[in-house]
Amino acid sequence: MAKQKGYAVYLIPGVLASLLVIIVPLVMTVYISFTKWTGVGDPRWVGFDNYTRLFGDTLFWQSFSNIILLIIAMAVIPTLLGLVLAAVLFDYVAKKFGDRWAGFFRSGYYLPQVIPVAVTGIIWAWILHPSYGALNRILEAVGLGGLAKNWLGDPDYALYSVMAVMIWFQLGYPIVMFMSGLQRIDPSIYEAADLDGATWWQRFRKITVYMIRPEFYVVLITTTIAALKIFGQVFVLTGGGPSNATLVPSYFAYKNFFEKAQVGYGSAISTVLTVLIVVLAFVFLRLQHRAEEQS
Amino acid sequence: MTVTATKAPARTPSGDAPKALRHRNPARFFVLTGLLVLFLLLVGPLLVVAVNAVKSPAEYAGSGPLSIPTSLYWDGIVDFWNRVNFGQKLWNSFITSLVVAVLGVVLSILNAYALGIGRVKGRVWFLVFFLVANLLPQEVLVYPLYYISKEAGLYDNLIAIIIIFTVIQSAFGTYLLTSVYSEFPRELLEAASIDGAGKWRTLWRVVVPVSMPTLGVLFTFFFIWTWNEFFLPLVFLISNDNQTVPVALGVLQGDRMMDATTTSASALIGILPAMLFFLIFQRTLTRGIAAGAIK
């Protein structure tokens, strides 16, 4: 490795830009989180006050318990369901009906992912609207009017409605990921399993799941982090309501920044969220690394 | 696994005769039915939106969301388009996404050239930094960025959004492209240097042309991701003339002043550009999603 000199200069634009857009703002937010500040005038240093207040704030805990349910809806369910669906499409549909059918289903399932999140919110806010929404109208039309609800406006159902929307939104991503991972598998492995009389379930567990462990980790970490960061859909669907039933940390922070002018408190919320995401990412990376070493 | 390596999917031979006979049973029917039902659940909401966007309010009130419109009613879409000056929003979204995609790819190239090919000192730490920068929740950056852009006179200006997203997207691009460039064929670099090409010429004449497929994937991703962004544009682009498509639609949704057909009209014109990109970029996307994952 002799010719390594002279490349560092190519990093200069990237480092300067990251300094401006990432590092300085990050450091500022952490600093502001130790102050009381309305956004005008000088911040006043208050030490850990914002953090002690945060951990005693029921809204903060509510937003984090909501996010756990959203992780189930955005990461756990799509990953598990996506695993089965990808295997069915790859190992069954593609072989019995042809690649075209598998590709057709894959594209259809992926479609919700390409729509801007704000538009996803608009679509579902309309479908779930209590008076003019499509879902209640459909339920009435098929004689199930008794099930009609104020899906997003009732604190008992709002979070579950948002969860359902998020499963709809997220399912296509693991399917596409897992299917492309499965293309690495040598078809002869499946054929050998067939000759040995393996059932479909055995092949799924012993071959499919085993082969796409790298994708599995990547999907789980990216979807979990996406769930922790969720903002757009909640903003458009419910605005965190009704009575904070769908409040999430990012929206909680947004409200403190731009509606309540509690910039110090908002900064503490986003700092905690950031620490959580970074720690989680490292844990996942280690898990993935260990899995790779074992194989 | 690199982007370029995922290009050739292993074609699986469609099942040989004896196997197909063995599996000819009701399972085949149930699997296909199940997949079709799921397909309808995922694509159905989009179809319902499309159908009702071209329905008159009277017809919606009369025959509900599932009926096929008896006549095409474009007034809802046209009215909405004019009311929000949608052409302007489309242009804002387009120009922002395009510039971010181009600049983001260029910045990723420069960073990855230094890290992947140049292997500059501390490259692992740079990579960790870029990975973390990509994972950070935008809430932790937003207030300082808001403050800085106001001080710099760039608040409510597309330029601020372009700078910020160029950096955020290139963090991912650097991470992905560095792994591709670390496996770049050394012979090509040596040949270029024997021909007397300096590092700058080698980059643009050898490295960039050879990695074009990966760069295409990055460009597509950056364009679509930026198009779909909601949180930062919501905070930064407050005047009507500067809003992007998701912001304009998301903010209007908050007004709750719309009826069923106007809402679906607004959703439809939000969906269409995304669908168009999806159709244009489908191959690049499905290939790229997987590529992004493995590294």
Side-chain angles (χ1 to χ4, degrees), chain A residues 2-293:
Chain A
K3 290 178 295 172
Q4 288 181 5
K5 291 209 177 89
Y7 282 101
V9 66
Y10 289 89
L11 270 179
I12 292 173
V15 167
L16 286 181
S18 304
L19 205 62
L20 177 72
V21 175
I22 312 271
I23 299 173
V24 168
L26 182 64
V27 172
M28 278 173 79
T29 296
V30 175
Y31 168 75
I32 295 167
S33 76
F34 292 104
T35 68
K36 193 171 165 62
W37 192 36
T38 56
V40 283
D42 289 326
R44 186 165 58 84
W45 183 266
V46 293
F48 281 94
D49 278 8
N50 286 322
Y51 290 94
T52 36
R53 179 181 157 201
L54 192 63
F55 291 116
D57 188 338
T58 49
L59 280 183
F60 172 77
W61 292 109
Q62 164 126 39
S63 75
F64 272 90
S65 72
N66 289 346
I67 221 59
I68 289 172
L69 285 176
L70 285 170
I71 289 174
I72 293 173
M74 288 180 71
V76 178
I77 296 176
T79 305
L80 297 180
L81 204 55
L83 193 61
V84 176
L85 284 165
V88 169
L89 288 179
F90 179 83
D91 182 35
Y92 192 85
V93 175
K95 286 174 188 167
K96 298 283 186 282
F97 305 99
D99 285 342
R100 280 180 168 277
W101 277 96
F104 166 80
F105 281 120
R106 185 186 60 188
S107 304
Y109 296 159
Y110 191 69
L111 217 46
Q113 280 269 306
V114 303
I115 296 162
V117 290
V119 179
T120 303
I122 294 167
I123 296 171
W124 283 98
W126 165 59
I127 292 178
L128 300 174
H129 193 277
S131 54
Y132 66 63
L135 181 59
N136 281 351
R137 297 287 301 264
I138 292 169
L139 286 172
E140 280 155 26
V142 297
L144 291 171
L147 292 178
K149 288 184 175 61
N150 187 356
W151 300 102
L152 294 168
D154 185 329
D156 288 340
Y157 299 107
L159 188 58
Y160 297 110
S161 303
V162 174
M163 284 172 73
V165 172
M166 295 319 295
I167 295 173
W168 176 85
F169 167 73
Q170 195 74 291
L171 187 60
Y173 167 67
I175 294 178
V176 168
M177 289 277 294
F178 292 152
M179 279 183 76
S180 70
L182 287 171
Q183 289 180 337
R184 284 201 311 264
I185 300 181
D186 181 351
S188 63
I189 300 180
Y190 276 120
E191 278 155 25
D194 263 353
L195 286 177
D196 291 343
T199 64
W200 192 86
W201 180 246
Q202 284 172 325
R203 299 193 326 179
F204 173 73
R205 278 188 44 211
K206 298 279 155 74
I207 306 175
T208 308
V209 174
Y210 184 79
M211 289 302 286
I212 54 177
R213 277 178 313 162
E215 280 84 2
F216 185 83
Y217 282 112
V218 172
V219 166
L220 211 53
I221 182 187
T222 47
T223 51
T224 304
I225 289 174
L228 287 168
K229 291 186 189 178
I230 184 174
F231 176 83
Q233 290 99 334
V234 169
F235 180 91
V236 177
L237 279 172
T238 62
S243 44
N244 299 313
T246 58
L247 189 70
V248 289
S250 62
Y251 194 74
F252 191 32
Y254 172 84
K255 270 168 75 166
N256 277 290
F257 283 140
F258 298 108
E259 286 172 16
K260 298 182 177 168
Q262 300 188 347
V263 182
Y265 197 50
S267 298
I269 299 165
S270 36
T271 304
V272 170
L273 184 64
T274 304
V275 170
L276 198 66
I277 287 176
V278 172
V279 168
L280 206 64
F282 276 104
V283 170
F284 269 111
L285 283 177
R286 287 227 67 87
L287 278 177
Q288 190 187 7
H289 189 65
R290 200 175 297 167
E292 272 168 15
E293 277 181 346

